[in-house]
Amino acid sequence: LYWSLHNTDNSCKVHIWLIQLGFGTILSALIIRSYRIWRIFQQTKLKIISITTYNLFLKFICWMFVEITFTTIWIETAPTDQIIVQPDLLRPVYDYTVCSSTSNFNSFAIIALTYKSVMMIVAVRLGWGTRKVPSEFNESTHLGYIAYNLAFSAIPLVAVSASSASLEFLFYFRSIVLIFMSLVTASILAVPKI
């Protein structure tokens, strides 16, 4: 649903919401769960700490509130709209649509990309920091693998998206990478439990 070959005004706005909330949800949940394990096992002194699921849920809600607020400001100040590109005026069959926006759009995209990159670095760091947790708490290993998968899948995705490749190639490449990223993440979570 994120990328489509034919855009409308509404689908241009939905693209931003899906990518922002999708990556924001998975990265914030990953960081919060990894942080709990890291916090418990990185204690130098023996003391009881209580990190309840309710506290983690409140942190997640706050994180998502920031995502929703930022995305709302983005959509309202730099709206995206469909424009029809006509490469050949005599052959309308070659027409296609793209999402276009004001120059403010790039500023918001850079802020979002930087923010998600920092989140990804934090997730990878927490995954690396909890890699030697005892096997009774094997969730940490899987969370680390998911962080590595997201980071290493996002690098070529961002690089190719920033290039001047054809729209069809970008559509297919992004689709394949997102399907791969989702499949690997679901496999990491589900396969060990079978």
Side-chain angles (χ1 to χ4, degrees), residues 23-33 60 63-64 119:
F23 276 106
T25 301
I26 194 165
L27 286 172
S28 60
L30 183 65
I31 289 171
I32 289 169
R33 289 180 68 184
F60 177 76
W63 214 315
M64 293 312 297
M119 287 177 70

Side-chain angles (χ1 to χ4, degrees), residues 48-180:
I48 297 173
I49 58 172
S50 175
I51 303 174
T52 64
T53 304
Y54 179 73
N55 290 342
L56 296 176
F57 181 69
L58 287 179
K59 288 178 184 176
F60 177 76
I61 293 297
C62 290
W63 214 315
M64 293 312 297
F65 179 75
V66 170
E67 291 282 342
I68 291 170
T69 303
F70 175 75
T71 307
T72 303
I73 293 169
W74 184 355
I75 295 294
E76 293 302 317
T77 58
T80 56
D81 296 313
Q82 161 205 346
I83 60 168
I84 298 172
V85 178
Q86 297 176 319
D88 187 350
L89 294 176
L90 299 176
R91 296 186 182 104
V93 73
Y94 294 123
D95 294 355
Y96 59 93
T97 58
V98 294
C99 294
S100 178
S101 184
T102 63
S103 60
N104 291 343
F105 182 85
N106 290 338
S107 302
F108 280 104
I110 290 169
I111 292 168
L113 183 62
T114 305
Y115 179 63
K116 296 292 188 284
S117 298
V118 169
M119 287 177 70
M120 208 166 297
I121 290 168
V122 169
V124 168
R125 173 62 185 101
L126 286 171
W128 184 259
T130 59
R131 72 189 185 286
K132 294 183 181 178
V133 170
S135 63
E136 295 85 30
F137 305 97
N138 63 359
E139 176 185 72
S140 64
T141 305
H142 302 306
L143 292 175
Y145 291 155
I146 291 170
Y148 305 148
N149 171 48
L150 292 176
F152 293 124
S153 297
I155 291 169
L157 184 66
V158 170
V160 170
S161 294
S163 72
S164 59
S166 72
L167 291 177
E168 274 190 53
F169 175 77
L170 286 174
F171 174 77
Y172 291 126
F173 184 79
R174 288 186 273 199
S175 298
I176 289 169
V177 170
L178 286 176
I179 290 170
F180 172 78

